[in-house]
Amino acid sequence: MELYTYYRSTSSYRVRIALALKGLDYQALPVNLLKGEQRGADYSAVNPQGRVPALRTDAGDVLVQSPAIIEYLEEAYPQPALLPVGAEARAKVRGVAAIIGCDVHPLHNVSVLNQLRQLGHDESQVNQWIGHWIGQGLAAIEQLIGDDGFCFGASPGVADVYLIPQLYAAERFNIDLSGYPRIRRVAALAQQHPAFAKAHPSCQPDTPAQ
């Protein structure tokens, strides 16, 4: 498999975690978003939307959008499972993932932030916008996840795959996490887990040298 990725993209980060949790090997194909490579003809031929990630499967098919890619990985490589048994339990996990993937992350995506700047908002206003939406989402998730282990049990799953990259973004934007003890518990567990460490932005081939 080949993964078109960018080290700091939280949606790419999600897919890297899912791949690592399932023990799947892949070749990372970095797309430098700061240089605009996502808008070039070569990458547009891969993903017409010009977003990362994109996954080329072993069969040669190209899949786009992290939720669809993660669902594909769960269906094509069911063990270890990232979703629990039972329709209701799965819906709860997917609900937390959707808060991040649908309601939080899209509102601080670089394209949205650049549009705000073009409309005349200064950096202080942009940062307030980011803090509002991330804080609102994390406050809801804090109430929805469990009191022990990862988000929904002893083993990491889809909710954790979404949450940990969002926390990376929260730290980048200086969001205070002190009011979220359950979330901070999950973050501490993930920090000790080899799959999350392998997928971290600091460990990617396109991570800039310090």
Side-chain angles (χ1 to χ4, degrees):
M1 285 186 285
E2 296 175 332
L3 179 66
Y4 294 86
T5 179
Y6 179 62
Y7 81 102
R8 210 167 63 182
S9 157
T10 56
S11 52
S12 297
Y13 190 179
R14 292 172 202 155
V15 174
R16 296 196 303 261
I17 295 172
L19 287 163
L21 286 171
K22 289 185 174 291
L24 297 172
D25 293 327
Y26 64 93
Q27 180 184 0
L29 300 176
V31 179
N32 192 314
L33 303 186
L34 293 183
K35 293 182 178 179
E37 291 177 355
Q38 72 275 20
R39 296 188 294 273
D42 289 344
Y43 189 64
S44 294
V46 174
N47 181 0
Q49 191 185 19
R51 298 283 180 91
V52 292
L55 181 75
R56 179 173 282 114
T57 69
D58 289 335
D61 295 313
V62 175
L63 309 177
V64 301
Q65 289 290 337
S66 61
I69 294 170
I70 292 167
E71 289 285 344
Y72 160 78
L73 294 174
E74 183 72 352
E75 293 177 5
Y77 305 93
Q79 297 299 324
L82 301 183
L83 286 167
V85 175
E88 184 174 298
R90 288 179 177 228
K92 289 180 179 179
V93 170
R94 287 178 170 130
V96 168
I99 288 173
I100 295 168
C102 301
D103 295 337
V104 178
H105 170 250
L107 292 175
H108 67 75
N109 188 286
V110 65
S111 60
V112 171
L113 301 184
N114 285 338
Q115 182 67 15
L116 288 174
R117 294 179 181 110
Q118 291 176 15
L119 291 172
H121 295 281
D122 60 29
E123 287 306 304
S124 174
Q125 292 171 316
V126 170
N127 289 334
Q128 288 177 17
W129 168 277
I130 295 167
H132 171 79
W133 294 115
I134 293 181
Q136 187 180 81
L138 293 182
I141 290 168
E142 177 71 15
Q143 298 180 61
L144 293 170
I145 63 178
D147 291 317
D148 300 294
F150 286 89
C151 286
F152 291 98
S155 300
V158 166
D160 309 281
V161 164
Y162 277 76
L163 177 60
I164 297 305
Q166 186 58 58
L167 296 182
Y168 170 76
E171 291 172 358
R172 279 186 57 216
F173 294 122
N174 299 311
I175 306 300
D176 182 11
L177 301 178
S178 62
Y180 311 117
R182 289 173 172 174
I183 286 173
R184 287 189 288 109
R185 181 201 73 234
V186 173
L189 289 172
Q191 193 171 22
Q192 303 301 318
H193 195 293
F196 289 89
K198 181 179 181 181
H200 194 274
S202 65
C203 298
Q204 303 314 304
D206 57 328
T207 304
Q210 297 296 323

